[in-house]
Amino acid sequence: MRIAVGSDHRGYQIRAKIIELLQRLGHDVVDVGTDRPDPVDYPDIAAMVAEKVSHKEVERGVLICGTGLGMCIAANKFPGVRAAPCHDDLTAEMSRRHNDLNILCLSADLLGERLIDRMVELWLETPFEGGRHARRVDRITQIERDSCQPPPAS
Ligand code: RB5
């Protein structure tokens, strides 16, 4: 799978470990940085990854910041992106089964390395169930399209 990965300064060390894991598992990684501890603004990193997912240049994305929250908020501004912070095995698995999550957001401050590795693997290997969940995800896409239309002239 082709996967874009980005983090802000809070997540740059764990990002390097996630990239190692993804490559070991045979995935093709597009790394957008940052590689340094100097502060960067998470929306800029989120935008680089989310744009690639939105344009289908990559199939999935992983974003890491202090809490995973800011990355999620910014990434979800892009059409077709379904990003959410996951924090345990259950959320990692269900985000795929029911929500077809295409960007996994992670907290560098709150999650341990072993848990992150397990969650990333679960998230990669778990399929979307489709069926009634596809109807709901399609509805999200429809809401996104409708909300991007200009308001009717008054
Ligand atoms: C950066 O200080 C911090 O705000 C960021 O990493 C993230 O937690 C935002 O949601």
Side-chain angles (χ1 to χ4, degrees):
M1 213 183 288
R2 197 165 159 77
I3 305 172
V5 183
S7 72
D8 71 358
H9 51 289
R10 297 275 278 273
Y12 84 100
Q13 286 165 316
I14 194 72
R15 191 185 87 263
K17 302 233 160 73
I18 292 173
I19 290 173
E20 269 175 40
L21 171 70
L22 294 174
Q23 288 171 337
R24 206 163 55 237
L25 294 171
H27 297 286
D28 180 11
V29 173
V30 180
D31 181 14
V32 308
T34 181
D35 289 320
R36 298 157 57 86
D38 315 76
V40 291
D41 292 338
Y42 63 81
D44 299 322
I45 303 286
M48 284 192 270
V49 168
E51 190 174 37
K52 290 184 196 312
V53 171
S54 185
H55 292 174
K56 301 195 190 310
E57 286 167 39
V58 297
E59 290 162 81
R60 305 262 191 102
V62 178
L63 286 167
I64 311 109
C65 64
T67 57
L69 299 177
M71 288 293 193
C72 167
I73 294 167
N76 277 313
K77 300 297 175 191
F78 285 75
V81 164
R82 291 177 297 280
C86 293
H87 46 80
D88 55 18
D89 291 1
L90 184 70
T91 49
E93 183 185 335
M94 296 313 283
S95 73
R96 288 291 315 139
R97 282 200 191 291
H98 285 193
N99 312 113
D100 201 12
L101 201 79
N102 52 18
I103 297 189
L104 174 65
C105 300
L106 295 167
S107 162
D109 292 352
L110 305 171
L111 307 171
E113 196 181 316
R114 283 176 58 190
L115 173 60
I116 287 185
D117 278 6
R118 210 169 61 231
M119 286 168 58
V120 168
E121 288 202 49
L122 262 174
W123 182 71
L124 290 169
E125 73 198 18
T126 304
F128 178 47
E129 271 181 24
R132 67 183 187 283
H133 303 294
R135 186 183 71 239
R136 292 162 186 163
V137 169
D138 288 348
R139 180 74 185 115
I140 294 172
T141 309
Q142 193 185 9
I143 290 168
E144 178 179 81
R145 281 203 201 106
D146 294 350
S147 68
C148 290
Q149 299 304 312
S154 52

